[in-house]
Amino acid sequence: MRYELMIPTQIRKAIADNIPVVLPLGVLEYHGEHLCTGVDTLVITETLARLENEVPFIILPAFYYGASSYAVEGPEANGSIHNRPDILYPFASSLFMNLLRIGFRNIHIIVHHQSENFAAGMPTDLSFKLAARQTLFDFIERQSGEGWWGKADAANYYEGHEEGDNPFNWIQAYPLLSDSIQKEYPIDHAGKLETALMMAVCPEGVYMDHFSEDKWYTQTAKDANLEYGEAVLARVKDHLIAKLKPKS
């Protein structure tokens, strides 16, 4: 369900049912001559579109304007748009505070850009993860006052964690391709993996007639095919369903 098309009655029911709210978080970045700039976001949004009938969730309008960096290519005539973390953090903080005040407690941030070492993090996901943590502290303090953790009614805080009652899980961030998927299907930039996945989820963003081997990172794209992309997509769908399905 697209958030921008929801009416208040639907929003209230989603809150009552603790339906996941998903933010596709990405960038606009040069991906060789054969792929469009929105790859890192489109692989998320287009995969989610294929899950709408399998698990209930709300999809927020995608955020395309992360920190692409210019490590691959400069922006001139190549299309990359880079916003620094100091710009991303206040936006993310404001967004998360709004979502918490609305009443959502099951917020998911899905990332693909630079997610090969997600535990360590890269500027885009780190900005949003830090904003999520700090906003949760701010929100809980707004609700319960300073010293909330030290009060007597928080004495079972750690026991609650063991049972899954952890307010710091109200906002979660994770990569589109889990560690296990990446071991089976190695991640790349505009190579075989990304090109094949785009063939499966967004073929209109793939222009193999423009493919060039001039860049080392695109050379494996010549081996991309729809079958490989569909295999990756199947694993990603299973990964996301496990993350988004209601907990028993």
Short mmCIF file of all heavy atoms in Angstrom, two decimals, residues 156-194:
data_model
loop_
_atom_site.label_atom_id
_atom_site.label_comp_id
_atom_site.label_asym_id
_atom_site.label_seq_id
_atom_site.Cartn_x
_atom_site.Cartn_y
_atom_site.Cartn_z
N ASN A 156 12.16 -3.89 34.37
CA ASN A 156 12.15 -5.11 33.55
C ASN A 156 12.62 -4.84 32.12
O ASN A 156 12.30 -5.60 31.19
CB ASN A 156 10.74 -5.73 33.53
CG ASN A 156 9.71 -4.80 32.90
OD1 ASN A 156 9.99 -3.63 32.66
ND2 ASN A 156 8.53 -5.32 32.62
N TYR A 157 13.38 -3.78 31.94
CA TYR A 157 13.83 -3.36 30.62
C TYR A 157 14.55 -4.49 29.89
O TYR A 157 14.25 -4.80 28.73
CB TYR A 157 14.75 -2.14 30.76
CG TYR A 157 15.35 -1.63 29.47
CD1 TYR A 157 14.63 -0.82 28.61
CD2 TYR A 157 16.67 -1.94 29.13
CE1 TYR A 157 15.18 -0.33 27.44
CE2 TYR A 157 17.23 -1.46 27.95
CZ TYR A 157 16.49 -0.66 27.12
OH TYR A 157 17.06 -0.19 25.97
N TYR A 158 15.52 -5.13 30.56
CA TYR A 158 16.30 -6.18 29.89
C TYR A 158 15.47 -7.43 29.65
O TYR A 158 15.62 -8.10 28.63
CB TYR A 158 17.56 -6.49 30.69
CG TYR A 158 18.56 -5.36 30.67
CD1 TYR A 158 18.86 -4.66 31.84
CD2 TYR A 158 19.18 -4.98 29.49
CE1 TYR A 158 19.77 -3.61 31.82
CE2 TYR A 158 20.09 -3.92 29.46
CZ TYR A 158 20.38 -3.25 30.63
OH TYR A 158 21.27 -2.21 30.61
N GLU A 159 14.59 -7.75 30.59
CA GLU A 159 13.69 -8.89 30.37
C GLU A 159 12.79 -8.65 29.17
O GLU A 159 12.51 -9.56 28.39
CB GLU A 159 12.85 -9.17 31.62
CG GLU A 159 13.63 -9.73 32.79
CD GLU A 159 14.39 -8.68 33.57
OE1 GLU A 159 14.32 -7.48 33.19
OE2 GLU A 159 15.07 -9.04 34.54
N GLY A 160 12.35 -7.42 29.02
CA GLY A 160 11.51 -7.07 27.89
C GLY A 160 12.24 -7.26 26.57
O GLY A 160 11.65 -7.69 25.57
N HIS A 161 13.54 -6.96 26.57
CA HIS A 161 14.34 -7.17 25.36
C HIS A 161 14.34 -8.64 24.98
O HIS A 161 14.23 -8.99 23.80
CB HIS A 161 15.78 -6.71 25.59
CG HIS A 161 15.97 -5.25 25.33
ND1 HIS A 161 17.06 -4.76 24.63
CD2 HIS A 161 15.21 -4.19 25.64
CE1 HIS A 161 16.96 -3.45 24.55
NE2 HIS A 161 15.86 -3.08 25.17
N GLU A 162 14.48 -9.51 25.97
CA GLU A 162 14.51 -10.95 25.70
C GLU A 162 13.20 -11.41 25.07
O GLU A 162 13.18 -12.35 24.28
CB GLU A 162 14.77 -11.72 27.00
CG GLU A 162 16.16 -11.54 27.58
CD GLU A 162 17.23 -12.11 26.67
OE1 GLU A 162 17.00 -13.18 26.09
OE2 GLU A 162 18.30 -11.48 26.54
N GLU A 163 12.11 -10.75 25.42
CA GLU A 163 10.80 -11.13 24.89
C GLU A 163 10.45 -10.37 23.62
O GLU A 163 9.36 -10.53 23.07
CB GLU A 163 9.72 -10.86 25.96
CG GLU A 163 9.92 -11.69 27.23
CD GLU A 163 9.01 -11.25 28.36
OE1 GLU A 163 8.15 -10.37 28.11
OE2 GLU A 163 9.16 -11.78 29.48
N GLY A 164 11.39 -9.55 23.12
CA GLY A 164 11.16 -8.82 21.87
C GLY A 164 10.53 -7.45 22.04
O GLY A 164 10.22 -6.78 21.05
N ASP A 165 10.34 -7.01 23.28
CA ASP A 165 9.73 -5.71 23.53
C ASP A 165 10.83 -4.66 23.66
O ASP A 165 11.23 -4.27 24.75
CB ASP A 165 8.89 -5.77 24.81
CG ASP A 165 8.20 -4.44 25.11
OD1 ASP A 165 8.05 -3.64 24.17
OD2 ASP A 165 7.81 -4.23 26.27
N ASN A 166 11.33 -4.20 22.52
CA ASN A 166 12.47 -3.30 22.49
C ASN A 166 12.12 -2.06 21.66
O ASN A 166 12.00 -2.15 20.44
CB ASN A 166 13.68 -4.01 21.89
CG ASN A 166 14.91 -3.12 21.81
OD1 ASN A 166 14.88 -1.95 22.20
ND2 ASN A 166 15.98 -3.67 21.28
N PRO A 167 11.93 -0.91 22.31
CA PRO A 167 11.55 0.28 21.54
C PRO A 167 12.59 0.69 20.50
O PRO A 167 12.26 1.39 19.55
CB PRO A 167 11.38 1.36 22.62
CG PRO A 167 12.18 0.87 23.78
CD PRO A 167 12.07 -0.61 23.74
N PHE A 168 13.83 0.25 20.67
CA PHE A 168 14.85 0.61 19.70
C PHE A 168 14.78 -0.26 18.45
O PHE A 168 15.56 -0.09 17.52
CB PHE A 168 16.23 0.57 20.35
CG PHE A 168 16.39 1.66 21.38
CD1 PHE A 168 16.25 1.37 22.73
CD2 PHE A 168 16.61 2.96 21.00
CE1 PHE A 168 16.35 2.38 23.68
CE2 PHE A 168 16.71 3.99 21.93
CZ PHE A 168 16.58 3.69 23.28
N ASN A 169 13.83 -1.19 18.43
CA ASN A 169 13.53 -1.93 17.21
C ASN A 169 12.36 -1.32 16.43
O ASN A 169 11.94 -1.87 15.41
CB ASN A 169 13.19 -3.40 17.53
CG ASN A 169 14.44 -4.21 17.81
OD1 ASN A 169 15.54 -3.83 17.40
ND2 ASN A 169 14.28 -5.31 18.51
N TRP A 170 11.83 -0.23 16.92
CA TRP A 170 10.73 0.43 16.21
C TRP A 170 11.19 0.92 14.83
O TRP A 170 10.39 1.07 13.92
CB TRP A 170 10.19 1.60 17.01
CG TRP A 170 9.46 1.20 18.26
CD1 TRP A 170 9.06 -0.05 18.62
CD2 TRP A 170 9.02 2.08 19.30
NE1 TRP A 170 8.41 -0.01 19.84
CE2 TRP A 170 8.37 1.28 20.27
CE3 TRP A 170 9.12 3.46 19.52
CZ2 TRP A 170 7.82 1.83 21.44
CZ3 TRP A 170 8.58 4.01 20.68
CH2 TRP A 170 7.93 3.19 21.62
N ILE A 171 12.49 1.21 14.71
CA ILE A 171 13.06 1.60 13.42
C ILE A 171 14.23 0.67 13.14
O ILE A 171 15.20 0.63 13.92
CB ILE A 171 13.54 3.06 13.41
CG1 ILE A 171 12.42 4.02 13.84
CG2 ILE A 171 14.06 3.44 12.02
CD1 ILE A 171 12.86 5.47 13.96
N GLN A 172 14.15 -0.09 12.07
CA GLN A 172 15.21 -1.03 11.69
C GLN A 172 15.76 -0.65 10.32
O GLN A 172 15.02 -0.17 9.47
CB GLN A 172 14.66 -2.45 11.60
CG GLN A 172 13.97 -2.95 12.85
CD GLN A 172 13.37 -4.32 12.61
OE1 GLN A 172 14.01 -5.24 12.12
NE2 GLN A 172 12.08 -4.46 12.94
N ALA A 173 17.05 -0.90 10.12
CA ALA A 173 17.67 -0.66 8.82
C ALA A 173 18.46 -1.91 8.42
O ALA A 173 19.16 -2.50 9.25
CB ALA A 173 18.60 0.54 8.88
N TYR A 174 18.34 -2.29 7.17
CA TYR A 174 19.07 -3.47 6.69
C TYR A 174 19.22 -3.41 5.18
O TYR A 174 18.48 -2.69 4.49
CB TYR A 174 18.37 -4.76 7.12
CG TYR A 174 16.88 -4.80 6.86
CD1 TYR A 174 16.37 -5.23 5.64
CD2 TYR A 174 15.97 -4.41 7.85
CE1 TYR A 174 15.00 -5.28 5.42
CE2 TYR A 174 14.60 -4.45 7.63
CZ TYR A 174 14.13 -4.89 6.40
OH TYR A 174 12.77 -4.92 6.17
N PRO A 175 20.15 -4.18 4.62
CA PRO A 175 20.39 -4.14 3.18
C PRO A 175 19.39 -4.99 2.40
O PRO A 175 18.84 -5.96 2.92
CB PRO A 175 21.81 -4.71 3.04
CG PRO A 175 21.95 -5.63 4.21
CD PRO A 175 21.15 -5.01 5.32
N LEU A 176 19.19 -4.62 1.15
CA LEU A 176 18.33 -5.41 0.26
C LEU A 176 18.89 -6.81 0.09
O LEU A 176 18.15 -7.79 0.08
CB LEU A 176 18.23 -4.71 -1.10
CG LEU A 176 17.36 -5.39 -2.15
CD1 LEU A 176 15.89 -5.27 -1.78
CD2 LEU A 176 17.62 -4.80 -3.53
N LEU A 177 20.20 -6.91 -0.04
CA LEU A 177 20.87 -8.20 -0.16
C LEU A 177 21.53 -8.53 1.17
O LEU A 177 22.47 -7.87 1.60
CB LEU A 177 21.95 -8.17 -1.26
CG LEU A 177 21.50 -8.43 -2.70
CD1 LEU A 177 20.55 -7.34 -3.19
CD2 LEU A 177 22.71 -8.53 -3.63
N SER A 178 21.02 -9.55 1.84
CA SER A 178 21.58 -9.96 3.13
C SER A 178 22.99 -10.52 2.93
O SER A 178 23.43 -10.78 1.80
CB SER A 178 20.70 -11.05 3.75
OG SER A 178 20.74 -12.22 2.95
N ASP A 179 23.70 -10.73 4.03
CA ASP A 179 25.05 -11.30 3.96
C ASP A 179 25.05 -12.64 3.24
O ASP A 179 25.94 -12.93 2.43
CB ASP A 179 25.65 -11.46 5.36
CG ASP A 179 26.03 -10.14 5.99
OD1 ASP A 179 26.13 -9.13 5.25
OD2 ASP A 179 26.24 -10.10 7.21
N SER A 180 24.05 -13.48 3.55
CA SER A 180 24.02 -14.81 2.94
C SER A 180 23.75 -14.71 1.43
O SER A 180 24.31 -15.48 0.65
CB SER A 180 22.96 -15.68 3.61
OG SER A 180 21.67 -15.12 3.47
N ILE A 181 22.91 -13.76 1.01
CA ILE A 181 22.67 -13.57 -0.42
C ILE A 181 23.95 -13.09 -1.10
O ILE A 181 24.31 -13.56 -2.19
CB ILE A 181 21.52 -12.58 -0.66
CG1 ILE A 181 20.20 -13.15 -0.13
CG2 ILE A 181 21.39 -12.28 -2.16
CD1 ILE A 181 19.05 -12.17 -0.18
N GLN A 182 24.64 -12.17 -0.46
CA GLN A 182 25.86 -11.63 -1.06
C GLN A 182 26.95 -12.69 -1.20
O GLN A 182 27.77 -12.63 -2.13
CB GLN A 182 26.38 -10.44 -0.24
CG GLN A 182 25.49 -9.21 -0.34
CD GLN A 182 26.09 -8.00 0.32
OE1 GLN A 182 27.30 -7.80 0.32
NE2 GLN A 182 25.25 -7.15 0.91
N LYS A 183 26.97 -13.67 -0.30
CA LYS A 183 27.95 -14.75 -0.43
C LYS A 183 27.64 -15.62 -1.64
O LYS A 183 28.55 -16.13 -2.31
CB LYS A 183 27.95 -15.60 0.84
CG LYS A 183 28.60 -14.91 2.03
CD LYS A 183 28.52 -15.76 3.28
CE LYS A 183 29.11 -15.02 4.47
NZ LYS A 183 28.97 -15.80 5.74
N GLU A 184 26.36 -15.81 -1.91
CA GLU A 184 25.94 -16.63 -3.04
C GLU A 184 25.98 -15.85 -4.35
O GLU A 184 26.35 -16.40 -5.41
CB GLU A 184 24.52 -17.15 -2.79
CG GLU A 184 24.06 -18.18 -3.79
CD GLU A 184 22.70 -18.76 -3.42
OE1 GLU A 184 22.17 -18.42 -2.33
OE2 GLU A 184 22.16 -19.54 -4.23
N TYR A 185 25.62 -14.58 -4.27
CA TYR A 185 25.58 -13.71 -5.45
C TYR A 185 26.39 -12.45 -5.13
O TYR A 185 25.83 -11.47 -4.61
CB TYR A 185 24.14 -13.35 -5.81
CG TYR A 185 23.28 -14.55 -6.15
CD1 TYR A 185 22.44 -15.12 -5.19
CD2 TYR A 185 23.32 -15.12 -7.42
CE1 TYR A 185 21.66 -16.22 -5.49
CE2 TYR A 185 22.54 -16.22 -7.72
CZ TYR A 185 21.71 -16.77 -6.76
OH TYR A 185 20.93 -17.86 -7.07
N PRO A 186 27.68 -12.45 -5.40
CA PRO A 186 28.55 -11.34 -4.99
C PRO A 186 28.06 -9.99 -5.52
O PRO A 186 27.70 -9.85 -6.69
CB PRO A 186 29.91 -11.71 -5.60
CG PRO A 186 29.87 -13.20 -5.74
CD PRO A 186 28.44 -13.52 -6.07
N ILE A 187 28.07 -9.03 -4.62
CA ILE A 187 27.60 -7.69 -4.96
C ILE A 187 28.64 -6.99 -5.84
O ILE A 187 29.83 -7.31 -5.80
CB ILE A 187 27.32 -6.89 -3.67
CG1 ILE A 187 26.36 -5.74 -3.94
CG2 ILE A 187 28.60 -6.41 -3.03
CD1 ILE A 187 25.78 -5.13 -2.67
N ASP A 188 28.18 -6.05 -6.64
CA ASP A 188 29.09 -5.29 -7.50
C ASP A 188 28.49 -3.92 -7.77
O ASP A 188 27.46 -3.55 -7.20
CB ASP A 188 29.36 -6.04 -8.82
CG ASP A 188 28.09 -6.35 -9.62
OD1 ASP A 188 27.14 -5.53 -9.60
OD2 ASP A 188 28.03 -7.42 -10.26
N HIS A 189 29.15 -3.17 -8.63
CA HIS A 189 28.63 -1.88 -9.06
C HIS A 189 28.53 -1.89 -10.58
O HIS A 189 29.56 -1.86 -11.27
CB HIS A 189 29.54 -0.73 -8.61
CG HIS A 189 29.03 0.61 -9.02
ND1 HIS A 189 28.01 1.24 -8.37
CD2 HIS A 189 29.39 1.43 -10.06
CE1 HIS A 189 27.75 2.40 -8.97
NE2 HIS A 189 28.58 2.53 -9.99
N ALA A 190 27.31 -1.99 -11.08
CA ALA A 190 27.05 -1.98 -12.52
C ALA A 190 27.65 -3.18 -13.24
O ALA A 190 27.86 -3.14 -14.45
CB ALA A 190 27.54 -0.67 -13.15
N GLY A 191 27.94 -4.24 -12.48
CA GLY A 191 28.47 -5.46 -13.06
C GLY A 191 27.37 -6.49 -13.27
O GLY A 191 26.20 -6.16 -13.44
N LYS A 192 27.76 -7.76 -13.19
CA LYS A 192 26.82 -8.84 -13.48
C LYS A 192 25.62 -8.82 -12.54
O LYS A 192 24.46 -8.96 -12.99
CB LYS A 192 27.54 -10.19 -13.37
CG LYS A 192 26.65 -11.39 -13.61
CD LYS A 192 27.42 -12.70 -13.48
CE LYS A 192 26.50 -13.90 -13.68
NZ LYS A 192 27.23 -15.18 -13.56
N LEU A 193 25.84 -8.66 -11.24
CA LEU A 193 24.76 -8.72 -10.25
C LEU A 193 23.74 -7.61 -10.48
O LEU A 193 22.55 -7.87 -10.65
CB LEU A 193 25.35 -8.66 -8.84
CG LEU A 193 24.45 -8.71 -7.61
CD1 LEU A 193 23.71 -7.43 -7.32
CD2 LEU A 193 23.51 -9.89 -7.67
N GLU A 194 24.20 -6.38 -10.46
CA GLU A 194 23.25 -5.27 -10.58
C GLU A 194 22.58 -5.23 -11.95
O GLU A 194 21.38 -4.91 -12.05
CB GLU A 194 23.95 -3.94 -10.28
CG GLU A 194 24.28 -3.75 -8.81
CD GLU A 194 24.63 -2.33 -8.45
OE1 GLU A 194 25.11 -1.58 -9.32
OE2 GLU A 194 24.41 -1.97 -7.28
#
